[in-house]
Amino acid sequence: MNAIGIGIAVLGIAIGLGLIGFSAMQGMSRQPEAIGKMQTAMLIGMAFIEVVMLLLTFVILGSVTK
Amino acid sequence: MEFLAGNLAPFIASAEKGEEHVGFVGILTYAIFVLIVIFCLMAYAKKGMNLRVFKNPILNCFEQLYLFIEKMCVGTIGSHGRKYVSILMTFWMVIFASNVCSLFFPAAPTADVGFNLGMALIAIGYVQYEGIKTNGFFGHLRHFGGPNLGNVLLAILINPLIFLIEIVSEVLKNVSLSLRLYGNIEGGHLAASAMNKLGEGIYVPFGAFLIPIKLLTCVVQALIFTLLLSVYISLVTHHDEPEVDHESADEKERWESGKIAEAMIH
């Protein structure tokens, strides 16, 4: 059951990460001068989304071991 | 053999079993090892500094790293961001060296959540120190309270709520910084050991093929930690002075003159 929960969470987070990467690459191809700024913003956004999955994984693992 | 196993137990991580930890002594040993590597590299990098042309390859690497971090500082924090290069570069080198250490050794400092929490506490504490130094103590507290809403009733109702939420998010910044690094490095180890099980029957270590991706993760995690730290610093030390972007202004001018020239030709 926990594995299904992690799977569903990872599905949503992968969609979110993909949307960020998709729009960042689109923006980079449209305006190659602004690649540096876009990469910075993209990395920050990806980092914040990634933390959601990590927190959730730690919460589920904690609930399993107890 | 028994003696060795008993005495080296804190230094040898059990990569297969998640229950056992290297302990405080093991993490400290690896942290000291990482610091020794960094100090040796930097001491060697000082060698060719008096020459007219830098020929020392290590020195060139450090120079490129410095330029990269300086560009990131100036781009994120602003024109006064050049004085934060030292702390950001220290964090970058420690995290990167520890991450690379995690590729070769059974344990690494950044694969331990306590070490990461310590680094995050130092980083966020430094951010508070800089905020208090720039805005004063009450100015720093006012920064947590959100914007001035203009209405006394709204200010009494809303601003304490924003203040509480900001305090909680400030505390959770520590947790998110440390858990991100720990989860990425330790998750890589777990993925490698899970993939190793696939090739057990045919004696192929599939987990070893993950090493290029893990190397990418090492660089990106070091980058993200320093990038987020510079963003936090820029949030507490920003000034309202207008900054002129000379480069883009020049480009716009050139582009417009190009358009005019094009129109004149046609």
Side-chain angles (χ1 to χ4, degrees):
Chain A
M1 212 58 201
N2 291 310
I4 295 173
I6 290 184
I8 294 171
V10 166
L11 178 68
I13 284 152
I15 291 173
L17 284 175
L19 278 176
I20 291 180
F22 162 70
S23 40
M25 290 199 86
Q26 220 174 23
M28 284 175 198
S29 66
R30 278 170 198 236
Q31 202 163 11
E33 313 86 82
I35 278 181
K37 287 176 187 172
M38 268 178 223
Q39 262 175 348
T40 312
M42 183 187 80
L43 281 178
I44 292 176
M46 280 185 167
F48 277 123
I49 289 192
E50 218 175 35
V51 153
V52 177
M53 187 198 71
L54 290 174
L55 280 177
L56 204 128
T57 312
F58 282 116
V59 166
I60 289 178
L61 286 180
S63 70
V64 166
T65 48
K66 267 168 196 171
Chain B
M1 203 61 212
E2 194 70 25
F3 169 78
L4 273 183
N7 281 289
L8 291 180
F11 303 107
I12 301 167
S14 54
E16 294 85 26
K17 291 172 193 160
E19 291 83 30
E20 296 172 30
H21 295 288
V22 275
F24 179 71
V25 180
I27 293 300
L28 195 65
T29 312
Y30 280 107
I32 290 172
F33 171 71
V34 163
L35 290 183
I36 285 174
V37 167
I38 293 174
F39 283 139
C40 289
L41 281 178
M42 295 200 76
Y44 183 70
K46 278 173 73 180
K47 227 177 155 186
M49 264 177 141
N50 293 328
L51 301 176
R52 251 181 72 226
V53 182
F54 291 169
K55 281 181 184 169
N56 191 345
I58 309 274
L59 178 57
N60 284 337
C61 289
F62 275 106
E63 190 188 357
Q64 292 305 315
L65 176 62
Y66 176 82
L67 289 176
F68 169 69
I69 299 223
E70 191 193 20
K71 196 181 158 198
M72 189 175 84
C73 275
V74 174
T76 320
I77 303 176
S79 53
H80 65 288
R82 208 162 266 125
K83 69 175 175 181
Y84 304 112
V85 171
S86 51
I87 186 164
L88 289 177
M89 194 160 161
T90 312
F91 271 121
W92 203 99
M93 283 191 302
V94 169
I95 293 171
F96 179 70
S98 318
N99 289 350
V100 172
C101 174
S102 80
L103 295 183
F104 296 104
F105 294 100
T110 43
D112 181 76
V113 76
F115 189 84
N116 294 342
L117 186 62
M119 279 199 301
L121 283 174
I122 292 171
I124 300 297
Y126 182 72
V127 169
Q128 308 305 321
Y129 170 73
E130 279 299 324
I132 289 173
K133 211 169 110 182
T134 317
N135 304 321
F137 185 68
F138 290 103
H140 188 59
L141 282 186
R142 200 182 300 129
H143 162 253
F144 285 133
N148 190 2
L149 295 172
N151 192 337
V152 179
L153 189 66
L154 274 180
I156 292 173
L157 281 177
I158 305 288
N159 277 358
L161 207 62
I162 298 178
F163 184 78
L164 277 179
I165 292 172
E166 284 282 328
I167 292 286
V168 169
S169 84
E170 200 73 16
V171 172
L172 279 182
K173 272 176 192 172
N174 292 312
V175 178
S176 82
L177 273 182
S178 56
L179 273 189
R180 178 180 301 120
L181 196 51
Y182 169 71
N184 275 290
I185 302 300
E186 191 68 16
H189 289 169
L190 291 179
S193 62
M195 277 183 78
N196 275 335
K197 274 182 197 143
L198 291 177
E200 264 179 3
I202 51 175
Y203 302 109
V204 177
F206 281 118
F209 300 134
L210 277 180
I211 284 183
I213 300 176
K214 283 166 83 175
L215 191 61
L216 182 71
T217 312
C218 293
V219 182
V220 167
Q221 287 314 309
L223 171 66
I224 281 180
F225 193 97
T226 47
L227 196 63
L228 282 176
L229 179 54
S230 66
V231 168
Y232 295 153
I233 290 176
S234 80
L235 282 179
V236 295
T237 62
H238 67 278
H239 303 300
D240 293 331
E241 60 198 35
E243 290 196 14
V244 185
D245 200 348
H246 295 289
E247 201 174 313
S248 65
D250 279 355
E251 252 171 40
K252 200 177 172 192
E253 200 175 296
R254 217 179 300 143
W255 188 74
E256 275 173 359
S257 63
K259 288 286 274 190
I260 292 167
E262 206 175 307
M264 279 169 75
I265 288 167
H266 283 298

